[in-house]
Amino acid sequence: MSKKTLIVSTDNNHKIMEIKDIMKDMPFIILSKTEAGFGDIEVIEDGNTLEENATKKAVEIARRTKAIVIADDTGLFVDKLNGEPGVYSSRYSGENATYSDNNKKLLKELEGVSLEKRTAKFKTVISIVLEDKSIKLVSGECSGKIGFESKGDNGFGYDPLFLVDGYEKTFAELGEEIKNSISHRARALRNLKKELKNIIEDEENENSSNK
């Protein structure tokens, strides 16, 4: 079977390598948006949900190509804060916020809250725009609690605060290998692979029935 082109709406090399690894046995040529010639496209992520932001990023490139395009968005949802920071996770303490700024604000918002009430989840949504321009969504979640202080030197963003259920360590303490097997993003990517496998199988079945 000839390979299809899959464009990822990012220039984050870590994300590209992660996707290439999980899709290594699939018939896809995987390109970053710059490799595909769309490096100049910048999308304002002003949607009210992760689904809206991911789809907006994917559609903006899909309008200009016949390839399959995917884009993702991730947020941290804290139950005690009614789901905040959620879709605003990367800019929780302002448009030019650093990871440290966001973590400090989160800890301040949760001052005086006991550990059992600091439940939260990370969620990643991936939007897939297919060759016929139809859109499919897949997602992955990871549950945990927000700790009282930063712990661990690995990871980024809220990783040093997020105590993963079943491990009682933060993502930043667990390290890349474990994180990449259990994280919200890893689960979303596995669901992406399943979805693309189903699409390929459906196409193969349709082609064989038309012969």
Side-chain angles (χ1 to χ4, degrees):
M1 182 180 180
S2 60
K3 288 194 173 185
K4 293 175 177 286
T5 298
L6 178 70
I7 300 170
V8 186
S9 181
T10 186
D11 281 320
N12 182 317
N13 285 330
H14 179 77
K15 283 186 181 181
I16 297 295
M17 293 305 295
E18 195 177 6
I19 292 168
K20 282 184 175 178
D21 182 56
I22 202 164
M23 305 275 284
K24 61 192 173 196
D25 58 340
M26 299 279 285
F28 288 100
I29 298 167
I30 297 168
L31 303 174
S32 69
K33 68 176 187 176
T34 292
E35 289 171 331
F38 304 113
D40 58 333
I41 294 177
E42 293 296 333
V43 177
I44 298 171
E45 297 180 41
D46 54 2
N48 293 316
T49 63
L50 301 179
E51 287 81 359
E52 285 180 21
N53 282 338
T55 297
K56 187 176 183 183
K57 288 188 285 187
V59 166
E60 197 61 34
I61 290 176
R63 288 170 48 212
R64 299 166 167 84
T65 179
K66 293 179 180 178
I68 297 172
V69 182
I70 66 169
D72 71 284
D73 198 20
T74 295
L76 173 67
F77 298 81
V78 181
D79 297 322
K80 186 69 175 176
L81 303 179
N82 298 314
E84 289 186 4
V87 73
Y88 304 107
S89 292
S90 64
R91 53 190 190 279
Y92 190 35
S93 58
E95 282 301 320
N96 299 309
T98 64
Y99 294 147
S100 177
D101 293 336
N102 289 334
N103 285 342
K104 284 175 184 173
K105 179 175 181 181
L106 182 58
L107 289 176
K108 185 169 176 55
E109 294 291 332
L110 289 171
E111 270 182 14
V113 178
S114 62
L115 184 62
E116 61 266 22
K117 293 181 179 177
R118 296 165 80 101
T119 53
K121 69 177 179 182
F122 268 118
K123 181 178 181 180
T124 292
V125 172
I126 300 175
S127 181
I128 314 161
V129 182
L130 301 172
E131 292 151 319
D132 64 1
K133 306 308 175 191
S134 62
I135 298 169
K136 292 185 179 290
L137 295 166
V138 295
S139 63
E141 296 183 3
C142 186
S143 298
K145 295 182 178 71
I146 304 302
F148 296 101
E149 60 184 347
S150 292
K151 289 185 177 180
D153 299 319
N154 299 305
F156 58 92
Y158 299 98
D159 286 357
L161 294 179
F162 189 78
L163 293 160
V164 186
D165 281 356
Y167 288 85
E168 312 318 321
K169 288 186 177 181
T170 69
F171 267 144
E173 289 178 294
L174 287 174
E176 284 291 304
E177 188 173 343
I178 295 175
K179 181 187 174 183
N180 288 344
S181 67
I182 64 167
S183 75
H184 43 292
R185 182 168 170 74
R187 290 168 178 168
L189 286 173
R190 286 197 288 270
N191 288 332
L192 168 69
K193 185 175 183 178
K194 282 181 197 169
E195 188 65 47
L196 292 174
K197 269 187 175 177
N198 289 338
I199 289 164
I200 289 170
E201 285 172 6
D202 287 346
E203 285 184 2
E204 288 176 343
N205 290 337
E206 188 176 333
N207 290 338
S208 63
S209 65
N210 290 334
K211 286 181 180 176

